[in-house]
């Protein structure tokens, strides 16, 4: 037992340092003065190198060899630590360093190219990032599939092949549904301005309504909303736009989904490898089910309508039904992060196919923009007008995050599966939500998904909660029923 206990004591400090590193990031996005950036960069680099050294320390290897798991929790802890140790050991330190340096540079080049609408100035840098990630993938895969090796950093156990089949089944039905919906008259849009202090007050109320514990977290403003931290210090950020209060409310609900997942993990796992969300896909399933299947449901928006009338007075939407349609309004757009629930996944499918081809070497960076624009035209029915609305819109590739995009849609697929099981388990869900009571839903998600943290593998978390292997069917059925109803298809 002593090797296991020694390893876990050491790991606990590593986990604590990782939390500190995350909090530096939170501070940078919310509180830090701009002039402090160079010092912060050095602080980040220092803690990253401490963390790296701890993770590859030969002592960890010795402990892993000797440690015995006495139960399922210990076995899961060892699985996570071993996986992390082996992953770090497989990538030469020099390569890891070059990736860090190049992606930091590429990020700046991307931002300038995007501002200048100049794809050509970005491509050489992107090519370098792809080459380095291919090299890293080859070191990780040891003869296996390169893309899978990258994907596994975000979604353990997932394969490009299996995701590709799932996405191929999603695409035609989403394209058809989108076309049918956009053929119909559009619901009203919000108009007028909405007091920002009132937006923040209602957004805080929403966070609490969805079970976010403000005694162990806090809400601040940031340019791009995010959630940060694990255990009993999980923070979120939101933003306000006087013309678009939905942006504030639904960003908040989304981030609360991520944050509550972290807050609801069994406290026994605090500062252990099991004390965080198990994968990006499962994480996104929680933020999405809070935001969409619950937060944008007819029942919940009926309650929200009343709250918004209390906060802002008459804002020009006649009744709850009209408000539900306004919340779920579908319109043309280029930008993934601004896309509605129906179109969002089409943006992700496009990126998944392109990045998989880039990593496989089947698509050259010089052909990337044309490939993006062709695919966009095919799925969305209109042409990309400028690179910042197309291939330059997302930060991910410049940061080397190939393999990340599919987890967004995987999260939506998981949310679709969980929604069916949750609704079966909580028959009063809609009448609860109509009173602004999410406790039945959040309690079910807590005990069936969130509490487990990293105990099970990602797909297993979902199949244990739903009794089914995750598939795209429930998400498609849900979207077709919901938008078919709103748009009278
Ligand atoms: Zn998210």
């Amino acid at each position: 037992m002593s090797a296991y206990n020694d390893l876990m004591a050491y790991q606990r400090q590593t986990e604590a340092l990782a939390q500190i590193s995350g909090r530096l990031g939170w501070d940078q996005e919310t509180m830090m003065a701009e002039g402090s950036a160079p010092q912060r960069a050095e602080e980040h680099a220092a803690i990253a190198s401490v963390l790296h050294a701890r993770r590859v320390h030969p002592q960890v290897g010795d402990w892993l060899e000797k440690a015995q798991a006495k139960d399922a929790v210990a076995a899961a802890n060892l699985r996570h630590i071993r996986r992390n140790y082996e992953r770090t050991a497989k990538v030469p330190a020099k390569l890891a360093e070059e990736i860090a340096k190049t992606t930091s540079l590429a990020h700046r080049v991307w931002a300038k190219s995007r501002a200048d609408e100049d794809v050509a100035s970005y491509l050489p840098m992107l090519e370098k990032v792809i080459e380095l990630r291919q090299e890293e993938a080859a070191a990780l895969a040891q003869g296996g599939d390169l893309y899978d090796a990258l994907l596994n950093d975000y979604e353990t156990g997932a394969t490009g092949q299996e995701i590709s089949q799932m996405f191929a089944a999603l695409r035609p039905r989403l394209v058809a549904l989108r076309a049918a919906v956009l053929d119909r008259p559009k619901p009203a849009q919000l108009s007028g301005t909405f007091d920002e202090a009132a937006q923040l007050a209602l957004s805080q109320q929403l966070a609490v309504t969805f079970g976010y514990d403000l005694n162990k977290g806090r809400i601040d403003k940031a340019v791009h909303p995010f959630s940060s931290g694990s255990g009993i210090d999980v923070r979120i950020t939101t933003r306000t736009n006087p013309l678009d209060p939905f942006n504030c409310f639904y960003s908040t609900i989304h981030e609360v989904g991520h944050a509550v997942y972290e807050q609801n993990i069994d406290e026994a796992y605090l500062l252990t490898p099991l004390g965080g969300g198990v994968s990006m896909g499962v994480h996104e399933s929680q933020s999405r089910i809070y935001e969409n299947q619950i937060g944008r449901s007819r029942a919940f928006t009926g309650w929200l309508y009343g709250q918004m009338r209390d906060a802002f007075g008459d804002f020009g939407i006649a009744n709850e039904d009209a408000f539900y349609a306004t919340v779920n309004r579908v319109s043309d757009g280029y930008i993934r992060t601004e896309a509605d629930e129906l179109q969002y996944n089409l943006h992700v499918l496009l990126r998944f196919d392109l990045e998989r081809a880039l990593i496989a070497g089947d698509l050259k960076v010089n052909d990337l923009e044309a490939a993006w624009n062709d695919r966009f035209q095919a799925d969305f029915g209109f042409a990309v007008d400028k690179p910042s609305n197309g291939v330059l819109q997302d930060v991910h590739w410049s940061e080397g995050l190939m393999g990340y995009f599919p987890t967004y849609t995987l999260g939506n697929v998981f949310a679709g599966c969980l929604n069916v099981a949750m609704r079966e388990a909580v028959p009063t869900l809609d009448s609860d939500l109509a009173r602004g009571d999410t406790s039945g839903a959040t309690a079910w998600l807590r005990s069936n998904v969130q509490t487990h943290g990293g105990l099970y593998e990602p797909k297993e978390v979902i199949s244990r909660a739903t009794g089914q292997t995750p598939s795209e069917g429930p998400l498609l059925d849900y979207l077709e029923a919901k938008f078919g109803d709103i748009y009278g298809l």
Side-chain angles (χ1 to χ4, degrees):
M1 264 322 276
S2 122
Y4 178 77
N5 289 342
D6 291 348
L7 174 61
M8 289 305 289
Y10 178 90
Q11 181 68 24
R12 196 175 180 90
Q13 282 195 327
T14 308
E15 300 283 344
L17 289 166
Q19 289 297 309
I20 292 171
S21 169
R23 209 143 306 123
L24 285 178
W26 169 85
D27 176 76
Q28 187 170 330
E29 301 300 318
T30 53
M31 301 287 164
M32 191 189 81
E34 217 168 287
S36 311
Q39 180 178 325
R40 180 54 49 90
E42 216 171 311
E43 292 169 5
H44 263 304
I47 198 155
S49 88
V50 168
L51 278 166
H52 184 266
R54 289 185 67 89
R55 287 181 174 134
V56 293
H57 199 287
Q59 178 75 68
V60 174
D62 292 347
W63 279 322
L64 279 170
E65 246 172 61
K66 293 183 194 127
Q68 306 272 349
K70 67 167 182 4
D71 57 22
V73 169
N77 275 320
L78 290 175
R79 190 177 70 232
H80 283 280
I81 298 170
R82 182 168 289 121
R83 191 179 281 151
N84 210 299
Y85 178 73
E86 287 171 354
R87 194 228 180 270
T88 318
K90 277 181 195 162
V91 180
K94 228 183 130 207
L95 176 59
E97 219 171 277
E98 206 182 342
I99 290 173
K101 246 193 276 168
T102 306
T103 50
S104 143
L105 189 62
H107 183 268
R108 288 202 294 275
V109 171
W110 163 78
K112 183 166 188 331
S113 302
R114 187 172 76 148
D116 297 345
E117 301 289 356
D118 180 10
V119 180
S121 67
Y122 170 58
L123 294 181
M125 206 66 227
L126 178 62
E127 190 162 24
K128 181 81 192 143
V129 171
I130 290 168
E131 279 168 15
L132 288 169
R133 286 287 272 162
Q134 284 168 326
E135 204 181 317
E136 186 184 31
L140 292 169
Q142 302 189 328
D145 185 271
L146 297 190
Y147 187 77
D148 288 356
L150 301 180
L151 176 64
N152 270 261
D153 276 349
Y154 313 108
E155 202 66 25
T156 309
T159 68
Q161 175 68 26
E162 145 204 274
I163 290 179
S164 163
Q165 278 168 7
M166 186 182 266
F167 287 7
L170 278 170
R171 189 176 168 205
R173 279 170 71 180
L174 289 177
V175 168
L177 180 59
R178 176 190 173 277
V181 160
L182 286 172
D183 229 22
R184 303 282 300 156
K186 281 193 184 26
Q189 252 177 311
L190 285 186
S191 59
T193 58
F194 296 80
D195 179 68
E196 289 178 80
Q199 286 189 37
L200 286 173
L202 182 47
S203 130
Q204 172 149 338
Q205 189 194 336
L206 285 167
V208 173
T209 295
F210 275 91
Y212 182 56
D213 184 351
L214 277 163
N215 191 39
K216 296 172 181 164
R218 50 179 293 136
I219 307 175
D220 294 276
K221 288 202 342 179
V223 180
H224 301 288
F226 62 94
S227 89
S228 157
S230 291
I232 53 178
D233 190 348
V234 188
R235 307 175 185 198
I236 64 165
T237 60
T238 190
R239 61 181 166 201
T240 56
N241 171 347
L243 302 177
D244 184 9
F246 290 156
N247 192 310
C248 174
F249 302 150
Y250 285 98
S251 294
T252 299
I253 297 173
H254 181 97
E255 298 310 330
V256 160
H258 285 301
V260 163
Y261 179 13
E262 295 288 338
Q263 286 189 330
N264 282 347
I265 292 171
D266 190 331
E267 274 198 35
Y269 303 158
L270 188 77
L271 295 177
T272 75
L274 309 192
V278 71
S279 72
M280 301 312 300
V282 176
H283 237 298
E284 197 67 7
S285 79
Q286 299 307 288
S287 59
R288 288 295 179 182
I289 199 169
Y290 277 51
E291 178 190 352
N292 291 329
Q293 280 87 354
I294 302 171
R296 289 192 170 94
S297 66
R298 171 65 184 81
F300 188 79
T301 57
W303 174 81
L304 181 60
Y305 178 66
Q307 300 302 304
M308 281 187 63
R309 301 261 298 189
D310 290 348
F312 305 108
D314 180 359
F315 54 93
I317 304 290
N319 55 48
E320 290 180 8
D321 284 322
F323 182 73
Y324 175 52
T326 297
V327 167
N328 290 289
R329 189 173 190 274
V330 177
S331 57
D332 280 331
Y334 299 103
I335 304 294
R336 173 185 61 85
T337 55
E338 295 168 4
D340 51 74
E341 193 182 356
L342 194 171
Q343 298 181 89
Y344 186 86
N345 295 303
L346 287 173
H347 291 275
V348 174
L349 270 44
L350 176 160
R351 287 154 179 75
F352 167 73
D353 285 336
L354 296 185
E355 69 177 20
R356 201 161 165 241
L358 284 170
I359 291 297
D362 297 337
L363 175 64
K364 299 291 163 218
V365 291
N366 286 330
D367 301 323
L368 175 62
E369 186 182 22
W372 180 295
N373 291 348
D374 288 352
R375 171 68 174 262
F376 188 88
Q377 173 83 48
D379 283 4
F380 292 86
F382 60 102
V384 172
D385 61 346
K386 54 184 179 184
S388 62
N389 278 336
V391 70
L392 291 183
Q393 70 179 266
D394 293 305
V395 67
H396 301 57
W397 289 338
S398 75
E399 294 190 341
L401 299 178
M402 291 80 183
Y404 191 111
F405 276 124
T407 67
Y408 292 123
T409 287
L410 214 47
N412 285 320
V413 165
F414 291 162
C417 301
L418 291 169
N419 184 48
V420 172
M422 176 178 75
R423 286 185 167 274
E424 262 168 39
V426 190
T428 59
L429 188 66
D430 279 330
S431 56
D432 297 345
L433 294 178
R435 287 180 281 109
D437 177 4
T438 71
S439 61
T442 52
W444 188 85
L445 289 166
R446 176 186 189 139
S447 58
N448 287 281
V449 177
Q450 296 165 355
T451 187
H452 300 309
L455 183 60
Y456 306 115
E457 295 288 60
K459 242 199 288 183
E460 196 188 352
V461 174
I462 306 301
S463 50
R464 290 179 81 101
T466 61
Q468 313 254 330
T469 305
S471 74
E472 70 289 344
L475 174 67
L476 284 166
D477 294 344
Y478 155 81
L479 289 171
E480 286 169 353
K482 174 174 181 173
F483 289 94
D485 172 46
I486 295 172
Y487 283 87
L489 300 177

